[in-house]
Amino acid sequence: MTGVRMSRVRVKICGITREEDLDAAVNEGADAIGFVMWPNSARAIDVERLVTLSARVPPFVTRVGLFVDQDAELIARCAPWLDLLQFHGDEPPEACEGYGKAWIKAVRMRDDVDLAAIEQRYSAAQGLLLDAFRPGIPGGTGETFDWSRIPRTLAKPVILAGGLTPDNIAAAITAVHPWGVDVSGGVELERGIKDPVRLQAFIRNVSNRGVTGEPIQ
Ligand SMILES: O=C(O)c1ccccc1N[C@@H]1O[C@H](COP(=O)(O)O)[C@@H](O)[C@H]1O
């Protein structure tokens, strides 16, 4: 490919709990940093910690707050420290609005999922984040799903998630052509603690690929 620079795939590093992990992600070129505000997660942070970590994020890096069927009051308290809300539960569209923030809807890829219907229902979402389905667990499972189930016809930007790693991310981008990718467990040493080596490898393996999966010239 000559003369054409394909748009690059955006990358979000989720489940940041520590300053050093945040700095490593930003310095490697992450486009977005995810903060898990769902208290049942081993990667959860509280509002006080969100305020501290959020203040460390430089301009042009998106601060994303992850919520799972949580109280409007808690989301409203977090919203000033966030740029984008990620709804990872069974929230109806009405529960995602009213915070004055753009938002994305996470969809767990159950066998019977109808993405076209979901896209219509969540028409105000900025994008759809597609994650693996495991009963009883809202996300962050570290599991992949069959990427060929994602139709190419979706109008909204697709953010691919679920079990992504430095080793499978190139194949994932080639298969799905996503707008962005989101990773948590695949770049960790343990839950909530990122591995700088895996983090660097993941972001580098994303950054040199266009949305077609071809290396950017
Ligand atoms: O990270 C969590 O603990 C979490 C909890 C509840 C819902 C979602 C969660 N994480 C998100 O799940 C996907 C996939 O994560 P992984 O890469 O498979 O570990 C991603 O969007 C995380 O942000």
Side-chain angles (χ1 to χ4, degrees):
M1 200 180 317
T2 51
V4 180
R5 187 174 166 84
M6 302 300 293
S7 161
R8 71 184 173 80
V9 177
R10 271 55 174 182
V11 56
K12 168 173 166 250
I13 305 295
C14 200
I16 292 289
T17 64
R18 309 190 305 168
E19 280 80 354
E20 54 266 52
D21 297 344
L22 195 161
D23 294 349
V26 166
N27 291 336
E28 276 304 324
D31 298 285
I33 298 294
F35 301 112
V36 178
M37 305 311 303
W38 183 53
N40 297 359
S41 169
R43 304 177 178 114
I45 59 169
D46 60 19
V47 181
E48 196 184 346
R49 205 62 196 124
L50 172 66
V51 172
T52 303
L53 291 173
S54 167
R56 207 174 170 94
V57 179
F60 307 138
V61 177
T62 304
R63 301 163 301 170
V64 184
L66 187 156
F67 302 91
V68 181
D69 297 317
Q70 286 173 264
D71 283 351
E73 189 268 333
L74 183 267
I75 300 169
R77 268 203 295 143
C78 296
W81 313 101
L82 299 168
D83 304 302
L84 183 72
L85 309 178
Q86 174 176 332
F87 291 102
H88 222 104
D90 295 321
E91 301 86 357
E94 314 81 72
C96 306
E97 284 156 21
Y99 300 103
K101 298 286 169 181
W103 53 276
I104 56 176
K105 183 73 186 85
V107 180
R108 297 188 297 145
M109 292 293 290
R110 233 167 72 160
D111 287 347
D112 60 352
V113 76
D114 179 347
L115 288 176
I118 289 174
E119 187 169 53
Q120 259 195 332
R121 183 169 180 228
Y122 292 89
S123 59
Q126 209 179 38
L128 295 182
L129 183 148
L130 307 183
D131 192 7
F133 174 78
R134 201 205 291 174
I137 302 184
T141 62
E143 291 169 11
T144 56
F145 62 92
D146 178 0
W147 300 321
S148 71
R149 293 177 56 216
I150 304 173
R152 291 283 174 85
T153 47
L154 293 173
K156 288 193 184 296
V158 166
I159 299 130
L160 181 65
L164 299 177
T165 69
D167 302 320
N168 68 14
I169 189 59
I173 291 171
T174 303
V176 178
H177 302 183
W179 169 257
V181 295
D182 184 8
V183 64
S184 196
V187 295
E188 283 181 336
L189 287 165
E190 59 184 90
R191 296 229 152 195
I193 308 292
K194 301 305 185 207
D195 175 347
V197 175
R198 290 179 72 74
L199 195 60
Q200 182 184 70
F202 187 88
I203 295 175
R204 290 192 180 179
N205 290 349
V206 174
S207 302
N208 63 8
R209 305 228 150 225
V211 288
T212 61
E214 297 300 318
I216 293 175
Q217 302 297 308

